[in-house]
Amino acid sequence: MSRTRTVATWTTAVLAAAALAGCAESDRDEGSGGSGGSGSGSDATFVFGAAGAPEMFDPFYATDGETFRVTRQMFEGLLGIEPGSAEVVPELATEWTPNEDGTEWTFTLRDDVTFHDGEPFNAEAVCYNFERMFDQNDAGQVAGEYWGYVMGAFANDADNSLYQGCEATGEFEAVVTISGPTSGFPTMLTLESLSMQSPKALEEGDANGIAAEGEGFSFPEYADNPVGTGPFTFGEYDEANGTISLERNDDYWGEAAKVSELVFRVIPDESTRRQELEAGSINGYDLPNPVDWNALEESGNTVEIRDAFNILYMGFNPDTNPQLQDLKVRQALNLAINREQLVQTQLPEGAEVATQFMPKTVSGYNTELAAPEYDPERAQELLAEAGAEGMTLTFAYPTEVSRPYMPDPQKLYEALRTDLEAVGVKVDVKTASWNGGYLDNVTAGKYDAYILGWTGDYDSPFNFIGTFFGNLKENDFGTSAMPWGKQLADDLKAADAIVDEAERSAAFEEINAQIMEDYLPGLPISHSPPALVVGPGVEGVIPSPLTAEEFDSVTVSGE
Amino acid sequence: MLRFVLRRLLQMLGVVLALSLLVFFWLRSLPGGPVSALLGERATPERRARMEEALGLDEPLPVQYLRYMQRALRGDFGVSTKVLPGEDALDIFFARLPATIELAFFALAIAILLGIPLGYLAARRRGTALDNTAVIFSLVGVAVPVFFTGFLLKYFFAVEWDLLPVSGRQSTGLDATRVTGLFVLDGIMTREWDAAWDALKHLVLPAVALATIPFAVIFRITRASVLDVLDEDYVRTAEAKGLTARVIRGRHVLRNAMLPVVTTVGLQVGALLGGAILTETVFSIRGIGDALATAFRDKDYPVLQVLIIAAAAIYVLVNLMVDIAYALIDPRIRTR
């Protein structure tokens, strides 16, 4: 008997010791940034739970949201985005004016800005940045994805580049020349990747010294020591602990940040982020599961719902399934989908039915377009007319992914599949993981139909429908197989080149109507508002439709 | 003994080489690849092709493999594409190793320190309430997945009762000196007691969560093994000879019952590496498991190759150590 007691006592003692240890010294009193425990006002720390680690700190080569979330706090562009909207506002440039044909843009710069390393910000620095981005080696051209995406080419292929040159016409005046007018310029200068960086630091850190090595790219030293002009400066990346800390920039040209330190903690698991928030060890995190929104609010947190700046669509590929080349078939599928019910049951509060391939906050949105009707009977009639009753559709969805426009792809898919089967379409279910073949198969045209979506980079209609249908040879909708495919691509390019904004908007509205009424290359489904959540005592987070929150306005106070 | 060890080391080298070949081709036979992870929704065929060309993924597989091996022989295992782009894959392995070692060490310590005594006791008190409770507990331990155990532990100990941190390895804002990357040890070495204490507290929940399965296995093997030994003639002889209970327990029962337990402990190291993937994800610990999970999701080939091969090498090495320990405990093995 005595022996049993010994072990039992010993076990209990260990557990009790562990418990006592916790009791004796609660974690919340350890300045771990918990519940603003680190003070309030100017000495506070704001700790944000990030879903993934940043990939690097040079925004030019970055492509993912977790990296931009961090770099956004340190870097600024010539143009900024009005917090809480997608509207373009002055940032490092106070004014920008085009010449008559929209090919030369004169930027008037702020004259009171210095980089974090004390270097002055001026027109020369602006042109240095443009030339640095433009003049990339082979590896840099592949890695500098955003420049490639918006400008089309680099210095070695200058004829095909939108960017043509930059000239410092005064200390605080720079002229940027582009090859032709486009709706995307200068709005694209709000992109994180095109931020202004310190020429001296770029030079010293050999910023363009990127090289292909084996199956990856090796990045120069600069990518770990970034220098911008923003309200926060780079502190350190503690990789072993998964924390990135930024310090307040006391020499910031604008209003200084309200917190002295900004910490990003990498917490990959969504339920763990929630528990960290509940325990008070972080002050906020992104993309809380819509299922948790109410519970989070009830326990004293604030769920900030952003405006939706995205689109979920069902794409078709008429190349792989010729039946889809018949407009009647596509219209039938359009009528078969009960979007209203899908939005009500499968998507977070505030989600909306899509009437076209872009959200309503984008210029060029056509307000005349009504939500597509739900009429399964008419759908069946149309299928019969087209001789496609009981057609088989190879229809795919991705696994192992959650995107702002589709929090739970499988559930969305099931709802769509049910609707399609209700009108007699036989669905051949296909699935693959996001990076494990799904995206490859979509681009390679292996599915008749698939679900996918897009989150806008900046306020430009071309960033949505231009991306989808503007490149005739390379788009996921296989429009090159359709008689109207070329017309649509040409119309998009023509509309994009209209200099006058009102006229340009009208042209895009017209195209949006045409896409929905005459072409129907796919089915726009919905727009979902992504949310972020902050704990008690956190004020001043302004939710951004572009998920581009700037944390300099945030205050943290003890409860 | 030396020859035995050398022979085993050579075998190990063969295993690692064969594995490198297997892993290389297996990864590339899976659908998808790093390009999707790098381009996301922006992947057009043209961009995809440029990226593949830049990364040398457009070459025939045997050519890719030969290039990889050429570089690997020089100690260059390529750079990460996604886990930490541009970072040497081998450096990532070494940077992530301490967190996993620390976690696995504490988990194994918990499993051994609870499993062996409880197993022995349960065997001695077969059929009592203590025995039955421990057996049921061990069954549950094996059946419940780590992420569920982890979630419950976090919910009660961290969120509800505020006794321990939820996740991570050290509190933010703690300015700790790093020496070995083993945070607890670093704190002790540099006499930063608060840092060591803080790191230790962060380890409690994940180590307990990770320990549940090895604990259950060690407990059951110990119990079964002790039961076997207790029925042996020599134990009865020893009792008949009037030897003290202490001598019987130590020299006769425990020593003989420990052989299968040592093997089991060795085998648990492999299970620990597997369990670490989930545990590290659930507790935001940036170790090998977390890197593996990220690398697999984003198809970061260089990192996956290094991690899988290194993990296998560790596994083989541990097995070798088990065999040596075995030989030390049981002289019959050495002479074979």
Side-chain angles (χ1 to χ4, degrees):
Chain A
M1 231 42 260
S2 67
R3 213 166 301 103
T4 320
R5 222 178 9 247
T6 320
V7 173
T9 319
W10 179 73
T11 314
T12 324
V14 170
L15 288 173
L20 275 174
C23 293
E25 213 178 335
S26 156
D27 257 278
R28 293 183 200 181
D29 319 326
E30 281 193 25
S32 56
S35 62
S38 48
S40 62
S42 63
D43 292 335
T45 300
F46 179 61
V47 185
F48 194 83
E55 299 186 337
M56 69 197 76
F57 298 101
D58 177 354
F60 182 69
Y61 295 119
T63 54
D64 74 305
E66 293 303 343
T67 304
F68 290 143
R69 193 199 306 284
V70 178
T71 60
R72 182 172 299 115
Q73 318 303 330
M74 299 186 279
F75 295 95
E76 293 171 310
L78 290 180
L79 279 56
I81 296 162
E82 176 70 36
S85 80
E87 198 189 326
V88 176
V89 292
E91 196 151 71
L92 292 176
T94 52
E95 285 172 44
W96 46 93
T97 40
N99 64 352
E100 209 156 293
D101 62 2
T103 52
E104 275 185 16
W105 289 78
T106 305
F107 293 88
T108 309
L109 310 176
R110 299 195 64 92
D111 57 7
D112 54 351
V113 181
T114 48
F115 287 101
H116 298 160
D117 58 359
E119 290 294 298
F121 169 78
N122 52 30
E124 267 176 29
V126 170
C127 290
Y128 186 96
N129 268 279
F130 273 108
E131 287 301 314
R132 176 253 161 157
M133 297 189 270
F134 187 46
D135 193 12
Q136 293 288 322
N137 62 25
D138 286 352
Q141 292 180 28
V142 178
E145 235 179 273
Y146 265 100
W147 177 280
Y149 174 69
V150 296
M151 299 293 185
F154 292 84
N156 64 341
D157 183 20
D159 290 351
N160 291 314
S161 165
L162 176 68
Y163 171 83
Q164 289 295 314
C166 175
E167 193 192 347
T169 47
E171 194 181 354
F172 299 106
E173 188 180 88
V175 176
V176 175
T177 311
I178 54 175
S179 60
T182 162
S183 67
F185 198 90
T187 314
M188 62 178 61
L189 301 181
T190 59
L191 278 177
E192 212 51 51
S193 285
L194 308 190
S195 299
M196 293 291 126
Q197 310 188 33
S198 161
K200 183 170 165 223
L202 288 167
E203 187 83 43
E204 286 174 358
D206 185 30
N208 280 11
I210 173 178
E213 190 185 314
E215 291 155 338
F217 298 115
S218 63
F219 291 92
E221 195 192 331
Y222 178 80
D224 298 330
N225 301 285
V227 181
T229 60
F232 290 96
T233 61
F234 187 64
E236 72 161 341
Y237 177 19
D238 178 357
E239 238 182 292
N241 204 22
T243 54
I244 301 97
S245 51
L246 309 183
E247 316 287 336
R248 175 172 48 213
N249 172 12
D250 286 320
D251 302 325
Y252 183 56
W253 58 267
E255 199 181 330
K258 304 271 197 301
V259 291
S260 69
E261 196 181 17
L262 184 55
V263 175
F264 296 95
R265 266 191 62 190
V266 181
I267 308 168
D269 179 50
E270 202 264 338
S271 73
T272 308
R273 289 199 290 280
R274 185 181 163 183
Q275 288 176 317
E276 289 278 12
L277 184 75
E278 286 169 339
S281 36
I282 62 173
N283 305 111
Y285 67 92
D286 200 358
L287 301 179
N289 190 331
V291 176
D292 296 336
W293 288 6
N294 283 338
L296 282 164
E297 285 270 353
E298 279 162 18
S299 49
N301 305 295
T302 314
V303 175
E304 302 275 9
I305 301 175
R306 301 155 166 141
D307 286 340
F309 201 68
N310 56 40
I311 172 90
L312 165 76
Y313 58 79
M314 178 173 166
F316 295 144
N317 196 323
D319 236 356
T320 45
N321 186 340
Q323 281 181 304
L324 289 167
Q325 293 180 14
D326 188 338
L327 179 62
K328 279 186 176 158
V329 172
R330 300 199 301 277
Q331 283 171 330
L333 299 178
N334 194 24
L335 292 165
I337 304 294
N338 189 345
R339 291 174 173 79
E340 199 58 54
Q341 191 186 38
L342 182 129
V343 164
Q344 298 281 337
T345 56
Q346 308 297 343
L347 289 170
E349 187 189 330
E352 288 178 356
V353 167
T355 64
Q356 53 208 288
F357 278 95
M358 59 170 67
K360 60 175 184 268
T361 30
V362 182
S363 58
Y365 177 87
N366 188 327
T367 51
E368 307 284 300
L369 286 170
E373 280 169 81
Y374 170 57
D375 189 347
E377 277 138 37
R378 177 79 191 118
Q380 278 169 312
E381 281 168 28
L382 280 170
L383 284 172
E385 283 172 35
E389 304 124 297
M391 72 180 286
T392 302
L393 200 64
T394 305
F395 180 27
Y397 71 93
T399 57
E400 289 172 51
V401 70
S402 170
R403 284 292 207 236
Y405 52 81
M406 55 175 181
D408 189 342
Q410 190 180 352
K411 279 168 72 181
L412 288 165
Y413 177 86
E414 288 304 337
L416 292 166
R417 179 184 156 191
T418 309
D419 286 344
L420 293 172
E421 286 175 340
V423 298
V425 174
K426 291 190 187 68
V427 176
D428 178 10
V429 181
K430 291 276 189 243
T431 177
S433 78
W434 186 250
N435 295 326
Y438 187 77
L439 291 169
D440 297 79
N441 291 343
V442 167
T443 17
K446 291 211 174 131
Y447 306 130
D448 301 350
Y450 53 88
I451 52 174
L452 201 60
W454 183 260
T455 297
D457 296 307
Y458 47 86
D459 178 9
S460 148
F462 200 77
N463 181 244
F464 280 87
I465 46 180
T467 302
F468 302 151
F469 317 114
N471 183 337
L472 183 64
K473 281 204 276 310
E474 297 200 346
N475 71 60
D476 295 344
F477 296 84
T479 56
S480 56
M482 303 305 293
W484 42 260
K486 186 172 183 316
Q487 184 67 49
L488 174 56
D490 292 347
D491 288 350
L492 282 163
K493 286 191 193 76
D496 192 48
I498 298 171
V499 181
D500 181 79
E501 211 166 321
E503 208 182 315
R504 188 171 65 221
S505 260
F508 276 112
E509 284 175 40
E510 182 57 35
I511 294 174
N512 271 323
Q514 253 182 325
I515 290 173
M516 292 311 292
E517 287 155 10
D518 308 338
Y519 305 152
L520 216 56
L523 310 179
I525 308 281
S526 57
H527 312 288
S528 296
L532 85 160
V533 58
V534 292
V538 177
E539 304 277 339
V541 173
I542 304 165
S544 153
L546 298 161
T547 63
E549 286 76 25
E550 291 172 2
F551 293 137
D552 52 334
S553 58
V554 174
T555 59
V556 181
S557 58
E559 285 161 84
Chain B
M1 188 74 186
L2 187 67
R3 188 185 280 174
F4 163 77
V5 172
L6 276 174
R7 198 176 62 223
R8 291 293 306 269
L9 280 173
L10 273 174
Q11 278 175 352
M12 191 176 128
L13 204 68
V15 167
V16 167
L17 266 175
L19 194 76
S20 80
L21 189 77
L22 276 174
V23 168
F24 189 92
F25 286 96
W26 170 68
L27 285 176
R28 284 158 185 75
S29 73
L30 298 172
V35 175
S36 283
L38 289 164
L39 294 173
E41 283 101 334
R42 281 168 212 291
T44 64
E46 186 205 1
R47 260 193 224 110
R48 204 178 268 281
R50 286 192 55 179
M51 181 76 83
E52 278 173 356
E53 191 188 350
L55 301 179
L57 296 166
D58 55 340
E59 304 273 8
L61 282 185
V63 174
Q64 285 187 44
Y65 180 70
L66 285 177
R67 281 198 186 156
Y68 175 71
M69 282 317 283
Q70 265 174 354
R71 288 196 308 266
L73 290 174
R74 292 200 307 264
D76 172 9
F77 293 90
V79 296
S80 162
T81 53
K82 202 74 183 172
V83 173
L84 190 61
E87 187 83 358
D88 206 65
L90 197 61
D91 289 351
I92 289 181
F93 168 74
F94 286 120
R96 295 297 192 100
L97 191 60
T100 304
I101 289 181
E102 196 169 47
L103 174 65
F105 173 81
F106 278 91
L108 200 58
I110 292 171
I112 292 171
L113 292 176
L114 288 178
I116 294 179
L118 274 174
Y120 178 77
L121 269 178
R124 291 300 301 253
R125 307 255 180 287
R126 186 165 28 172
T128 62
L130 170 101
D131 181 27
N132 293 337
T133 315
V135 169
I136 289 166
F137 190 76
S138 73
L139 284 171
V140 172
V142 172
V144 179
V146 167
F147 66 87
F148 185 72
T149 322
F151 181 85
L152 285 185
L153 286 170
K154 283 184 300 178
Y155 180 77
F156 287 109
F157 287 89
V159 179
E160 285 297 308
W161 303 333
D162 189 24
L163 298 174
L164 292 163
V166 180
S167 77
R169 295 185 64 199
Q170 212 154 36
S171 299
T172 43
L174 201 73
D175 202 12
T177 317
R178 302 281 159 77
V179 188
T180 60
L182 303 157
F183 285 11
V184 177
L185 188 66
D186 288 354
I188 294 168
M189 282 167 76
T190 56
R191 310 236 167 129
E192 291 170 357
W193 307 115
D194 57 334
W197 181 235
D198 182 74
L200 189 63
K201 280 200 298 187
H202 277 83
L203 269 167
V204 175
L205 295 183
V208 168
L210 182 55
T212 48
I213 292 174
F215 156 77
V217 175
I218 290 171
F219 163 80
R220 282 157 65 187
I221 293 283
T222 308
R223 181 176 173 274
S225 179
V226 170
L227 282 176
D228 282 350
V229 173
L230 286 176
D231 287 344
E232 292 280 358
D233 292 345
Y234 60 79
V235 174
R236 217 165 307 139
T237 310
E239 279 167 355
K241 280 199 306 191
L243 290 176
T244 62
R246 234 186 66 185
V247 173
I248 295 174
R249 271 208 311 268
R251 189 178 306 166
H252 296 288
V253 179
L254 268 179
R255 188 166 173 183
N256 284 302
M258 274 307 101
L259 276 175
V261 177
V262 170
T263 315
T264 308
V265 169
L267 291 172
Q268 284 313 302
V269 173
L272 279 173
L273 283 175
I277 297 180
L278 278 173
T279 313
E280 288 178 5
T281 306
V282 170
F283 287 97
S284 326
I285 293 171
R286 288 167 69 78
I288 301 283
D290 173 75
L292 258 174
T294 310
F296 194 80
R297 189 196 62 205
D298 294 336
K299 300 284 182 286
D300 189 333
Y301 292 158
V303 172
L304 280 171
Q305 278 151 202
V306 164
L307 294 186
I308 295 172
I309 292 165
I314 290 172
Y315 187 67
V316 175
L317 206 60
V318 168
N319 270 328
L320 173 63
M321 290 200 277
V322 168
D323 286 349
I324 294 171
Y326 223 91
L328 293 175
I329 297 176
D330 185 350
R332 286 173 306 176
I333 291 174
R334 261 170 288 177
T335 54
R336 266 179 219 159

